[in-house]
Amino acid sequence: MYLTDDKIKLNIKLDMPAGYDSASGAKCPLVIVIHGFTGHMEERHITAVSGTLNEIGYATLRVDMYGHGSSEGEFHDHTLFKWMSNAMTVIDYARSLDFVTDLYLCGHSQGGLMVMLAGAMKADVIKAIIPLSPAAMIPEGARKGELLGQTFDPEHVPDELIREDGRTLGGNYVRVAQTIRVEDFIDRYDGPVLIIHGDQDEAVPVEVGIEAAKRYKNAKLVLIPGDNHCYDYHLDMVTDAVREWMSGR
Ligand code: FER
């Protein structure tokens, strides 16, 4: 299924809670689930969290963001502004579904940062947020000239950054990220927050999740001992934490 945001087709997938009978007209809460930088909706950790939420009574709406997965747009051209626009469009779509009661946001890494930003922008309609290993240091990294493990002059942003795998990222990504003050968004969200972070994360230092959790007014932090960015070792601990925190909410 596709949604359109700013003429770009976004691939979305709706999964209903286990045992949901569409003929009954029953209503349920829904969680929007957003992947990370270079990721997509079918990644193991994304489907695991989404499936867990379906087991405990939540519908989920997974989305491939601009320039990722099966959505339109070039990876090279994606920016946090485009993703913020995507997120708001997906939230508006979810609100328009007549079976939806409460609305939640969950995202991994850059998608975790996105739920921190979009949650703040739509704080009045988002009941709680779950940033997983949130890449909340991207804007500060962009201002310092430190992204993708590379350094550059932040006042003369290069036309593109080249990743180790050869994929290129346009300089506008950096210019956009430089304008975002994550703290302002954290301070605008008073609802419940669950942050989960592997303490051996090689891509987003665990301290980033710890600091974000400290700054939120109402956050719970769950550290996954020995785990990395995509929870290759203890994904079950991640889904257990989500199940426990979201059950009966
Ligand atoms: C970076 C570190 C992490 C970065 C992006 C990420 C653009 C995002 C990771 C993810 O979403 O999984 O320096 O720069």
Side-chain angles (χ1 to χ4, degrees), residues 49 132 196 224 231 234-243:
V49 170
L132 304 171
I196 303 177
I224 310 294
Y231 322 111
H234 302 298
L235 185 56
D236 53 332
M237 291 179 71
V238 176
T239 52
D240 283 352
V242 169
R243 184 182 290 110

Side-chain angles (χ1 to χ4, degrees), residues 36-38 108-111 135 137-138 146-149 169 173 203-204 229:
F37 184 86
T38 72
H108 176 249
S109 197
Q110 182 164 291
M137 75 305 171
I138 289 175
E146 296 171 8
L147 284 180
L148 301 177
L169 180 62
Y173 175 96
V204 177
H229 191 50

